[in-house]
Amino acid sequence: MQEATSSPTDNPCWGGPDSHQHDLEYLLKVLGGENTPSASPNEYSSFLEGVKRKLVVFQDENYLVINKPPDLRMDGPYRASVHKLLLYLFPPPSLQGPVVKVISTSPVKCDDKTECNNESTHDDETDTKNRPRNHCVLVQSISSLSKHSCLKDDPFRIVHQLDYATSGILLYARNKCAASIACRSFQERQTKKEYVAVVTNKNSDVSDPPFGSGFFQSLPVLPSSSLSQWKDGSLEKRYRKKRRRETEDRSGKKNTFDGFMPVHSVFAKWRGVLIRLKNEKDVNNDSTNINMRQIKKHHDSLPPLPEPETPLTLEEIEEVLSLGSSWKAVKSNKSTHSRCWVTVVEEMAAQYNQSLERFHARKVEREENHNARKQAEVEKTDNRPLPSLFRIQTEEDRDSEACRDTFYICAAIGEYNDGRFEVLVDPSVAKTPANDVANEMGEPPPLPELRPSLTMCTVLWRGFMQIDANDSLSIPVAKVLLQPWTGRRHQLRVHLAQVTGFPILGDATYGGNIEIKCNDSQSEIAGGSECPAEGTRVACRRMCLHAKQLSILLTEGNVETFVAPDPFTIVRRPGCEKETLAVN
């Protein structure tokens, strides 16, 4: 398969040294294993089913959950992406047959031995039913699609994302309503995510596995009440509120406030009140002037609308209602009326927003007083700020092994404003300083906004990972379970690398891309990569971070849990007493 030469290139762990081994065609062959996308209908069907069994964790009419391969981008102008992979496995009608001639001068490589020209037709052009195109034409049709908006009938909607190098559970919605529900669950923190990772020493001279007994003995032990602000979400809510106010100040937002009601909304509210008033007058056969305060409040906690200077008659109410529900249409109406209703509504909106501002100011004051009292109660229990590394211990789990091997990482994270890829952890707690680039004056760049972030980490296993086929090379590693309490970009990667000092194995951005020296007897290392004689090679071709589990509220009161197979397994090789870690 040929792609535009302007497409950005990657070097995925599942690919090879040649550029054609980085595209969708090659990825499908890797996922298909022994099966190939043959022209035979039965063999092709078997190939598709094999790829789906490897990738699809769950699917119904609303959602699709897959086990994302590592080193694969979500979408974009790349040779391979999750988006292109899903379009191939679940093509929408616009990518299905019957197929008219697709003419191209460039051949498409169908398999290792044959090539077929893109000037092809459906096997049966008289068949009007939609059915998948043949493999070559389908791959060629998908190759130029870089955005979800490229197809009007694209069935997949992004709900959340995983980094390029991260594998594991990835949830897609299949319609607008399902996407709205899932996105709301993520926004309201009604999700729980678990990751597994393999970490190593940043210093290759250290021979002991990470997170030894000395690490845990140095950590302070805090009561469970120390996490109360994180558990109830109050800390995150205060941060979001503060950030929203600062954003409004920077954008120059004036003459508005939380709860501000624009003129068109005031008109809609007034029209609803007039409809209820007219109905009551019709029932009572009353033709006197209308006073809006006569109507009962219908469970509306907001202040009542102000009265016009002159009360409305029943005829005037009918006149206002005849203008329709569109404020834009009311403003453009040039007909002669008993009053200038645009002026009436605009004056009413100005008065009403003055009342709303006072109302919301009192509401905010009550909320702030409540939060201040709650904060004071928390500070009475524990007035210390959380350290960057600590343990939590209660009476129930004082002697449990999970408690002994579990700790927390609390360090604020910020994203640079200059668009650089890496993020910054709070310099006051970072063990590894950030690679800041000085400006023209030789001054370090200003610190970005730091967002509170918390990660729970449990050490599952410590030992050594054999990185060559002859078992003559190994590196110290630890397998950990990670539960992020917040969802910052690169949170797990930067917390492990810059706060604990143990980066994720294979993480080239934050120091986990460990290189080893190998000789001519060490021909192969982990991941199937050949090691050049008397040269160096990375210890692992992929970043060892995997989204293992996602629990999310998708229907009212019903939490769905999706689990992906763990690619980092503990094995004992034949003839070897010690366990080792294998990366699948």
Side-chain angles (χ1 to χ4, degrees):
M1 183 183 67
Q2 294 184 356
E3 290 249 7
T5 57
S6 59
S7 298
T9 58
D10 288 319
N11 185 25
C13 63
W14 44 263
D18 299 328
S19 60
H20 78 273
Q21 295 174 313
H22 305 164
D23 58 25
L24 179 61
E25 175 84 21
Y26 192 83
L27 174 61
L28 288 167
K29 292 179 181 179
V30 172
L31 295 174
E34 297 180 356
N35 297 319
T36 58
S38 171
S40 168
N42 291 335
E43 293 180 0
Y44 183 63
S45 176
S46 176
F47 163 76
L48 283 180
E49 291 302 317
V51 175
K52 289 181 180 179
R53 281 195 301 270
K54 184 173 291 187
L55 284 180
V56 177
V57 175
F58 170 84
Q59 64 171 320
D60 62 10
E61 66 276 8
N62 294 318
Y63 298 101
L64 174 67
V65 183
I66 67 168
N67 182 12
K68 173 187 171 294
D71 291 356
L72 190 64
R73 299 188 186 277
M74 297 289 294
D75 53 18
Y78 300 93
R79 294 177 178 272
S81 66
V82 177
H83 179 221
K84 291 179 179 179
L85 181 59
L86 294 184
L87 288 178
Y88 179 89
L89 297 176
F90 305 95
S94 61
L95 291 177
Q96 295 182 6
V99 180
V100 297
K101 286 188 177 182
V102 180
I103 301 176
S104 173
T105 58
S106 60
V108 178
K109 191 172 182 181
C110 296
D111 53 45
D112 293 336
K113 298 180 180 180
T114 62
E115 290 187 350
C116 66
N117 194 283
N118 286 347
E119 186 176 346
S120 58
T121 59
H122 198 288
D123 294 336
D124 183 6
E125 292 187 9
T126 61
D127 184 3
T128 58
K129 294 182 179 180
N130 283 339
R131 56 177 177 168
R133 300 180 178 184
N134 66 66
H135 167 79
C136 301
V137 178
L138 183 57
V139 169
Q140 181 69 16
S141 301
I142 293 172
S143 64
S144 61
L145 303 177
S146 61
K147 300 179 181 179
H148 287 260
S149 58
C150 291
L151 292 177
K152 291 184 178 180
D153 58 348
D154 191 319
F156 300 108
R157 289 170 166 80
I158 295 177
V159 174
H160 67 124
Q161 300 195 42
L162 292 178
D163 287 343
Y164 161 77
T166 305
S167 61
I169 288 293
L170 184 61
L171 171 68
Y172 275 87
R174 283 181 144 167
N175 54 66
K176 186 177 180 180
C177 180
S180 175
I181 294 172
C183 289
R184 189 182 308 116
S185 292
F186 275 98
Q187 292 169 357
E188 297 177 356
R189 298 292 192 267
Q190 294 176 328
T191 61
K192 182 180 179 181
K193 293 177 281 186
E194 292 186 359
Y195 295 75
V196 287
V198 179
V199 300
T200 187
N201 299 310
K202 183 169 290 188
N203 185 355
S204 58
D205 296 333
V206 179
S207 59
D208 295 329
F211 302 123
S213 58
F215 174 86
F216 282 90
Q217 291 173 0
S218 65
L219 300 183
V221 180
L222 307 181
S224 58
S225 59
S226 303
L227 297 177
S228 58
Q229 297 182 77
W230 295 90
K231 290 180 179 178
D232 61 17
S234 58
L235 188 145
E236 181 71 10
K237 290 177 182 177
R238 289 200 302 272
Y239 163 73
R240 289 188 177 188
K241 189 173 183 178
K242 174 178 175 291
R243 188 184 183 197
R244 184 172 63 249
R245 288 179 177 176
E246 291 175 349
T247 301
E248 292 175 353
D249 293 340
R250 287 194 301 268
S251 62
K253 189 176 180 181
K254 298 179 179 179
N255 301 323
T256 61
F257 50 88
D258 288 340
F260 176 84
M261 190 172 290
V263 178
H264 63 84
S265 298
V266 174
F267 173 71
K269 185 178 180 71
W270 185 46
R271 193 172 185 275
V273 171
L274 293 181
I275 290 174
R276 294 197 296 271
L277 282 171
K278 180 179 180 301
N279 292 339
E280 289 186 5
K281 289 295 182 181
D282 289 343
V283 170
N284 298 328
N285 197 20
D286 188 356
S287 60
T288 59
N289 289 354
I290 303 298
N291 187 330
M292 288 196 297
R293 297 187 184 279
Q294 295 173 354
I295 191 168
K296 297 179 180 179
K297 294 179 69 176
H298 290 260
H299 306 289
D300 192 353
S301 60
L302 297 176
L305 286 168
E307 288 282 346
E309 293 184 2
T310 305
L312 274 66
T313 63
L314 188 59
E315 291 76 13
E316 287 177 324
I317 289 182
E318 293 176 347
E319 183 178 302
V320 173
L321 297 179
S322 67
L323 298 176
S325 59
S326 171
W327 173 243
K328 185 176 181 180
V330 172
K331 291 204 301 181
S332 60
N333 193 311
K334 304 299 182 182
S335 303
T336 303
H337 301 289
S338 57
R339 300 195 202 184
C340 179
W341 298 117
V342 173
T343 302
V344 171
V345 175
E346 288 177 345
E347 291 177 351
M348 182 184 299
Q351 297 177 33
Y352 188 50
N353 275 305
Q354 291 177 2
S355 301
L356 285 177
E357 188 171 15
R358 293 190 294 268
F359 172 82
H360 284 286
R362 291 192 295 269
K363 183 178 178 181
V364 169
E365 184 179 2
R366 289 194 299 269
E367 291 178 353
E368 290 180 347
N369 291 337
H370 172 74
N371 292 335
R373 289 194 298 270
K374 194 171 183 179
Q375 178 67 15
E377 293 176 358
V378 172
E379 291 178 352
K380 286 180 181 179
T381 305
D382 189 355
N383 196 30
R384 299 171 298 171
L386 290 179
S388 58
L389 295 169
F390 62 94
R391 297 167 59 196
I392 293 292
Q393 193 173 64
T394 62
E395 292 297 330
E396 291 77 11
D397 58 10
R398 183 181 299 277
D399 298 324
S400 68
E401 184 176 352
C403 177
R404 291 196 300 270
D405 289 336
T406 298
F407 66 98
Y408 292 79
I409 310 169
C410 182
I413 295 173
E415 296 186 36
Y416 290 99
N417 297 324
D418 56 8
R420 72 180 74 181
F421 179 71
E422 65 271 17
V423 301
L424 173 74
V425 74
D426 184 356
S428 65
V429 300
K431 289 187 176 181
T432 304
N435 296 322
D436 290 334
V437 180
N439 58 22
E440 296 178 355
M441 303 296 294
E443 300 173 348
L447 288 178
E449 177 191 10
L450 297 177
R451 307 179 182 183
S453 308
L454 182 67
T455 301
M456 179 179 172
C457 180
T458 301
V459 180
L460 303 176
W461 180 86
R462 303 174 184 86
F464 293 86
M465 175 181 171
Q466 301 296 331
I467 56 177
D468 73 314
N470 301 323
D471 291 347
S472 59
L473 285 175
S474 64
I475 57 173
V477 295
K479 181 179 177 180
V480 296
L481 175 68
L482 302 167
Q483 295 175 272
W485 286 39
T486 50
R488 316 301 182 205
R489 179 171 170 264
H490 291 188
Q491 174 177 324
L492 304 179
R493 299 165 64 179
V494 77
H495 269 182
L496 288 169
Q498 296 189 9
V499 183
T500 71
F502 300 113
I504 296 174
L505 181 63
D507 188 352
T509 303
Y510 299 107
N513 214 25
I514 306 301
E515 292 188 347
I516 60 169
K517 294 181 180 180
C518 48
N519 53 47
D520 54 0
S521 64
Q522 295 154 350
S523 59
E524 189 177 340
I525 64 172
S529 177
E530 293 184 356
C531 186
E534 299 297 340
T536 60
R537 196 74 170 188
V538 293
C540 187
R541 289 197 63 196
R542 66 158 291 180
M543 183 178 75
C544 296
L545 178 62
H546 178 76
K548 179 184 178 183
Q549 180 173 305
L550 170 65
S551 299
I552 180 172
L553 183 66
L554 294 180
T555 57
E556 186 173 354
N558 186 19
V559 176
E560 300 286 350
T561 298
F562 308 106
V563 182
D566 188 345
F568 315 127
T569 55
I570 311 302
V571 298
R572 181 177 284 109
R573 296 185 179 181
C576 182
E577 296 181 358
K578 294 184 179 179
E579 293 180 330
T580 185
L581 186 139
V583 178
N584 301 320

